[in-house]
Structure formats: C-alpha cells, structure tokens
Amino acid sequence: MFTVVRGNPTHEELAAALAVIQARAAAASAVPATPQRPDEWTVRTRNVWRSAPPPPGPAAWRSSYWPR
C-alpha cells in the first residue's frame, strides 16, 4: 500500500505510479538466486588424489593442486 503525500495526482498519474511499483516488485521477486560456485578447496573430488602425489622436488608444491 502506498499513499500520496503531496500533490493531487490524476487517475492516470496514480495508475502509472502503481504500475511502476508493481513492475519493480515483480522483477525483484522473479530474479532467480544465482547458485554459488563451491570453493575449490572444499570440492572433495579436487582434493583427493586421483593418482599418486607429485614426486618430491623443489617445484612439487606448484603442481600439487593442479587439476588432473
């Protein structure tokens, strides 16, 4: 519900204002919530070794989280 605080709008102006308010309310409720992409650290399939861990070496840490 809304009220006119000042002025004396015509029926057409009041209908136009109501149409804008209804359209905005309908658009706000119709926007689907975008599903949040899970954090890569919580995705279990990415954290479990699919094969043997990388061989030890000075750069092994760089490839320890690479997708395989």
Side-chain angles (χ1 to χ4, degrees):
M1 215 171 184
F2 68 97
T3 60
V4 177
V5 178
R6 283 190 203 150
N8 191 11
T10 64
H11 293 293
E12 292 82 17
E13 292 171 337
L14 200 54
L18 182 60
V20 169
I21 292 171
Q22 286 179 336
R24 297 226 17 186
S29 66
V31 174
T34 56
Q36 295 294 326
R37 185 174 169 211
D39 187 16
E40 292 295 324
W41 292 103
T42 60
V43 177
R44 188 149 175 81
T45 57
R46 298 271 314 224
N47 289 330
V48 177
W49 296 108
R50 293 186 187 144
S51 61
W61 63 271
R62 289 186 187 138
S63 62
S64 63
Y65 191 66
W66 284 358
R68 297 172 191 226

